[in-house]
Amino acid sequence: MTVSEILDPLLTAESWKQAGRDVAIATVIETWGSAPRPTGSHLVIDGEGNFEGSVSGGCVEGAVITEAIDVIESGAPKMLEFGVADETAWRVGLSCGGRIRVYVERLG
């Protein structure tokens, strides 16, 4: 296994799912301005809050993980948006001046 395979969150998601874990995938689908991670970045979360990858370089991961656990429980996907003009973004730490939109869905 190569280093890129070890670090690929989608391979982690597949492995966790095969091991019987409930899994959600968060994907950056749009960015504006100074965003910490590019479109297509992934964060994989299991039902216990374990995670791999990044959608914001640490700025909003905590909020995304919390929402992902809700998505795992409900099965309903969510669209999340964080930006510097958003009070929530300041609270969770996205102060880089940009905005990101993250789609969170349950795997399988």
Side-chain angles (χ1 to χ4, degrees):
M1 195 177 290
T2 68
V3 171
S4 62
E5 288 174 329
I6 293 169
L7 299 177
D8 185 339
L10 296 179
L11 292 175
T12 299
E14 181 180 21
S15 172
W16 287 359
K17 190 68 181 164
Q18 288 175 350
R21 294 158 89 171
D22 292 324
V23 178
I25 299 175
T27 305
V28 176
I29 62 161
E30 199 167 8
T31 66
W32 300 269
S34 177
R37 299 282 295 146
T39 301
S41 296
H42 298 286
L43 178 67
V44 177
I45 307 95
D46 74 4
E48 296 178 8
N50 298 300
F51 64 95
E52 183 87 27
S54 176
V55 292
S56 71
C59 300
V60 299
E61 263 74 5
V64 174
I65 290 165
T66 299
E67 294 292 339
I69 291 170
D70 288 343
V71 167
I72 288 170
E73 292 173 358
S74 71
K78 290 187 180 185
M79 184 70 68
L80 309 174
E81 189 172 320
F82 301 95
V84 72
D86 181 356
E87 182 181 320
T88 303
W90 281 104
R91 211 169 45 239
V92 297
L94 186 65
S95 57
C96 59
R99 290 189 301 157
I100 62 172
R101 184 173 292 162
V102 179
Y103 183 71
V104 184
E105 61 188 322
R106 182 180 173 137
L107 183 62

